[in-house]
Structures are given as structure tokens and as C-alpha cells.
Amino acid sequence: MEELCVKLCEVGALKFGNFKMKVGVNSPVYFDLRIITSYPKLIEELSEIVRKHTQKLGIDCSVICGVPYTALPIATLVSVKSNIPMLVRRKEPKKYGTMKIIEGIYSEGETCLIVEDVVTSGGSILETAADLRKDGLIVSDVVVIIDREQGGEHNLIKNGIKMHSIFTLSKILEVLLRKGKLDQTTVENIKKYIEENQIFPDGKHMPKVPSFNRLTMKYQDRISLASCGASRKLLALMDKKMTNLCVAVDVTLSSELLKIVDLVGPFVCLIKTHYDAVTDWSENAESSIKEAAIKHDFLIMEDRKLGDIGNTVKLQSKKVFSWASFVTMHSVAGCSALQGAQEALQSVPNGGGIVLVSQLSSKDNLITNHYTKATTDLGTDYKEIVAGFVCQDHSTFSDPGFLQFTPGVGSKSGGDSLGQQYSTPEEAVLKKGADIVIVGRAICQSPDPSRTAEEFKEKLWSAYKKRVMQ
């Protein structure tokens, strides 16, 4: 892939200078992939990469459509090699004959994969998707050769389209710098340009988000920056009660759960449950834990880790939000799962928040850096309902309106026989950047859960105060 970056640069498909873009802004870098039609071997190589990338992603589609015009030859080769029919979208309808915008054979309800060469704002993809959808086709994915990282992915997600890019501009710059094709100054100037030029499909610039250091801000100062109502409620509670401790009560009997909750309740901001592990879970258990939450002034997070299609998530989350303020979710299902949760929350009187799992504390888990970033981006697109992220690294996100939930914390560092990795309270807050620290067995299996919870509370709050003083 690195050699392909270099090759694209050498044939003039990647240009550096000062160029006027379709969206109306000037750019120090320009991708002219039209030129690859003069290099048959190169276009064949690119189209094969697109085909294999699509196959690896497991995208199921009935037809393919290339965004006119540069992506058409690539989409054609992908269609031929994968034996998937191709559609052609005209930029304007014919004024004679069938007068169609979409040419080809297809049926309403079929899924169409869009193929694009370069994405800036995503406007061309959205225009293509709109015409395809108008004819009854389902469009949910687009495979892109180069993402300029200027807002396209954000704009597409907002319109229900998931973008799968093969290259990002940042990665290309990194390769060309290492290969001696670009100097450090040029790379830094282009990175600054990307940061300062995030664009909506209509060419208007996205508003810049004020710069805050999440790690040195007090909880009370972050309340107004949280878009999710449940986050604001939790931040206010943490500040008032002076605790950032969450106890994970992972037990199998409701009587045991309620006993521990009553013992640790005075010292926590949050109780984490696994109701599907409780063999005698009932509406009575739900009512009892809600009463305990009022009595001891804490909120409840059900660690259900939702991760299904939108309608299923809608049904599941509606049930959970009847007694819990938060529910965890894997981002593997994409935006449709969050859309389902969003619809469910519309009928929940007290609201609630989704906590996305972007990292795990278990050894050898399969979550990649790309998955973590995609999860964070998804949360940003749904910040009205996303409270924050389950993660182990403070660099996962910087927005102080989100909360970092960090599990895998005990009285000392180490691990268990099933691969769980533990860090100390101080490490979790000061090194990893945790806002809310989740402690389970170290408290629940101790001889005196109440006293142990109080000790953890004091250690965690002390670490938090030290962090915000830095």
C-alpha cells in the first residue's frame, strides 16, 4: 500500500501547491485520480484493492454505483471482477428516450454500494445517494479510495451512510514524508489546513470547537459542555457527592445485589449492573434498585453492551431505560443502533445516556485503533444521547462534554486467570484519564464492602483533585 501511495504521487495523481476545490475553498493538496485512466495497470491495482476491501468488510450489496465521473472506471472494474451488476448515475437526466437519472437493471429494495475516488465534504456521494434512494434503492455504505478528512465521514454518517476509506490524507502524508517525497514543513502545513477546514456538504465551514483540556477541568465546569442530559446530571452528582466511584455489582441473585448496593450506595456516583446475569431478576428487583438509588443518591448503568440492528436496540434500550439512567453499547452495528436508542429515548420521561465501548480492559481483545476512533467519531455524531466512552486511554477523546468510564481497577495492578487486566485507582485517574472508575470484585468480594468502597472513594477523589491541580 505504501508503494501505491508513492506511485500515485509519481504519476501526478497527488499534487501539492494551491488548488481551488469544488466546495469553493483553496487547498494545498489535490487528488487528480482521473489521470490513472492513462495507466491501465495502476487502475487495475486500485480497483482490485477496492474489491478486496469491500469483500473483507463483508458488505452485502446487489448492485454497485460509481460516483460520476472519476469513480466510474474503478466501479466498472470492481463490478466485472466481483460479478456484481453496476448502475450508472447521470449528473442530469436525458432529455430524450427514457429520461432516467439511474441507468441499469435494478429492483426497489435492493442494496447499492457506492464507490468514490476522493471525499472532501461528501457532497457528491450524498447527491448520488439521494438519486439512488429516490428510485427505491437502499444506500448505507460507500467505499472510498482517499478520505481527505475534512468532514466527509461526519456528513455521511448524519445521512445514514457509513464510509469505508482505504487511504486517509494523514496516512498518505506520513508515507510520503518517510519516503522522502515531502518535507516536514509541507506536511505540517497540510495538517494545519485539514484542521482548519472542516466542511459541510454546501461548502460552509464547520464551527470550531473551543479548546479545553478535559483532564484538568473540574466536573462542575464540564456540566455546561455536555450535550447529553444524563451526562450533565451525573457530573453534577459527582461534584455534589464528591465521588467518581462506580461499583460493578456482578452477582447472580437479586437479594445479593440489593444488599451490596445498600452497603456501597453512600460512596458511589454510579452502580453498574448485569441484569441478565441475575437469575431471579424481576420488576420487583428493578423497583428496589431504583428506590436504593433515590435513598443513596446515585445513578444506575446497565452494562448490557447492546450491539444489534436498530429496531432490536430500540426495544432493548426502551426496557433498560425504564429503570437505569445509562446503558452500554458496542458500536459494531454503526449508526442504526444509535438511531434505535435515540427513538427509544423519545418516550422515556427522565431521559438517559448511551455509553459506547471503545476499548476493553481484557488481554488480547480484538478491538483495533481504527475501531476505537470510529467509535469516538460515532459518539460525536450522536452526542445528544452519548454520555461517553468505556476506554483505557485518555487520548481516545478530548471533548470535556464526554465522560471516560474506565473498568479494570483494583487495589493493585495485575490480572486474573481470564485475562482481565487491573490498574490501581491512582493509575486509572492520573495516567489513564478516567472520569468514572469502575471497581467490581475488589469491593463486592471484600469482607467489608462498605468500608472498602469508602476507601476507594477517598483514593479516587484524591487522585481527581491532584489531576485538576496540574
Side-chain angles (χ1 to χ4, degrees):
M1 296 289 271
E2 290 193 358
E3 291 308 314
L4 182 58
C5 285
V6 173
K7 201 179 296 183
L8 288 171
C9 182
E10 288 175 345
V11 301
L14 309 185
K15 295 178 168 62
F16 301 92
N18 187 30
F19 307 92
K20 187 79 170 179
M21 305 299 293
K22 178 185 174 183
V23 290
V25 298
N26 282 5
S27 169
V29 58
Y30 182 64
F31 296 99
D32 183 14
L33 294 190
R34 295 173 186 82
I35 202 168
I36 64 173
T37 55
S38 297
Y39 297 89
K41 289 292 183 185
L42 184 55
I43 196 170
E44 183 181 28
E45 184 180 353
L46 262 180
S47 61
E48 183 63 8
I49 288 171
V50 170
R51 186 189 69 80
K52 286 182 177 178
H53 189 60
T54 303
Q55 190 177 52
K56 184 180 177 182
L57 291 167
I59 297 173
D60 186 24
C61 63
S62 306
V63 287
I64 293 171
C65 183
V67 176
Y69 290 107
T70 310
L72 289 178
I74 296 167
T76 302
L77 287 173
V78 172
S79 170
V80 170
K81 291 185 177 184
S82 58
N83 197 30
I84 297 174
M86 177 179 153
L87 304 178
V88 175
R89 172 194 169 247
R90 293 177 175 273
K91 283 199 171 183
E92 60 285 319
K94 291 194 300 183
K95 295 182 181 178
Y96 56 89
T98 60
M99 294 186 285
K100 285 183 176 181
I101 283 276
I102 306 298
E103 300 284 0
I105 299 172
Y106 57 93
S107 300
E108 188 174 332
E110 286 189 314
T111 300
C112 181
L113 171 68
I114 294 178
V115 176
E116 175 64 303
D117 60 331
V118 181
V119 170
T120 303
S121 70
S124 296
I125 293 171
L126 291 176
E127 289 170 5
T128 299
D131 286 333
L132 291 166
R133 286 169 170 173
K134 198 181 294 181
D135 274 19
L137 288 156
I138 297 169
V139 180
S140 57
D141 295 272
V142 56
V143 174
V144 173
I145 296 173
I146 299 172
D147 173 18
R148 290 177 58 102
E149 302 174 289
Q150 288 183 252
E153 186 170 23
H154 167 88
N155 296 328
L156 291 169
I157 286 174
K158 281 289 188 183
N159 286 273
I161 301 173
K162 188 172 183 180
M163 184 175 79
H164 311 275
S165 60
I166 293 166
F167 297 105
T168 61
L169 178 48
S170 298
K171 182 64 178 177
I172 290 171
L173 293 176
E174 179 188 315
V175 170
L176 295 181
L177 176 64
R178 193 165 58 248
K179 297 289 184 178
K181 299 294 181 179
L182 288 177
D183 57 55
Q184 188 67 50
T185 302
T186 302
V187 169
E188 291 305 320
N189 287 340
I190 295 173
K191 284 184 176 179
K192 185 179 179 183
Y193 161 81
I194 296 172
E195 186 180 333
E196 294 177 352
N197 288 273
Q198 296 294 302
I199 304 164
F200 287 119
D202 61 3
K204 292 180 180 176
H205 281 73
M206 294 179 182
K208 288 184 174 61
V209 179
S211 179
F212 296 103
N213 185 345
R214 171 174 72 88
L215 299 178
T216 57
M217 290 183 72
K218 294 180 180 179
Y219 294 139
Q220 65 187 51
D221 295 331
R222 292 167 58 183
I223 296 171
S224 62
L225 300 175
S227 299
C228 175
S231 299
R232 295 194 293 271
K233 188 175 179 180
L234 181 54
L235 281 163
L237 174 61
M238 292 160 68
D239 182 66
K240 180 183 75 171
K241 202 174 175 182
M242 292 192 293
T243 177
N244 48 359
L245 171 63
C246 168
V247 173
V249 190
D250 298 334
V251 294
T252 57
L253 294 174
S254 59
S255 57
E256 189 180 0
L257 182 146
L258 294 169
K259 179 184 176 181
I260 294 173
V261 164
D262 201 46
L263 289 170
V264 304
F267 311 108
V268 305
C269 62
L270 198 63
I271 287 288
K272 183 175 81 70
T273 59
H274 266 298
Y275 85 87
D276 53 346
V278 179
T279 56
D280 61 342
W281 186 264
S282 63
E283 289 185 5
N284 184 55
E286 292 175 6
S287 299
S288 297
I289 195 170
K290 283 168 70 176
E291 289 171 8
I294 295 169
K295 174 184 174 182
H296 295 299
D297 197 16
F298 62 77
L299 298 178
I300 305 164
M301 178 169 73
E302 165 54 28
D303 196 9
R304 187 63 183 82
K305 293 188 175 71
L306 304 174
D308 215 314
I309 62 171
N311 190 60
T312 301
V313 168
K314 179 180 177 180
L315 298 174
Q316 291 173 315
S317 53
K318 189 173 182 179
K319 175 176 169 57
V320 171
F321 284 131
S322 67
W323 56 273
S325 296
F326 301 92
V327 64
T328 56
M329 178 188 289
H330 283 301
S331 63
V332 65
C335 60
S336 63
L338 281 163
Q339 287 168 355
Q342 193 169 45
E343 288 185 21
L345 280 167
Q346 290 171 2
S347 60
V348 177
N350 297 320
I354 299 294
V355 179
L356 291 175
V357 180
S358 64
Q359 292 176 332
L360 291 172
S361 55
S362 56
K363 186 180 179 182
D364 298 329
N365 69 80
L366 301 181
I367 290 180
T368 64
N369 290 335
H370 178 76
Y371 182 89
T372 297
K373 182 182 182 303
T375 301
T376 307
D377 291 344
L378 195 59
T380 302
D381 288 323
Y382 287 87
K383 59 170 58 178
E384 293 79 11
I385 64 166
V386 172
F389 307 92
V390 176
C391 59
Q392 297 288 320
D393 185 351
H394 67 81
S395 65
T396 301
F397 68 96
S398 58
D399 187 340
F402 287 126
L403 289 161
Q404 178 177 331
F405 299 75
T406 299
V409 177
S411 54
K412 58 183 180 180
S413 301
D416 68 9
S417 60
L418 295 177
Q420 174 66 295
Q421 301 296 296
Y422 291 109
S423 55
T424 65
E426 293 78 10
E427 287 170 343
V429 175
L430 297 172
K431 285 183 67 178
K432 294 187 174 184
D435 293 315
I436 295 158
V437 174
I438 303 170
V439 184
R441 282 170 280 182
I443 291 175
C444 296
Q445 294 180 7
S446 71
D448 188 346
S450 180
R451 182 178 175 183
T452 307
E454 185 175 14
E455 289 172 354
F456 267 97
K457 171 189 178 292
E458 295 303 325
K459 286 180 181 178
L460 291 168
W461 194 255
S462 176
Y464 155 71
K465 287 197 293 185
K466 184 177 179 180
R467 189 177 84 185
V468 297
M469 293 284 287
Q470 291 177 352

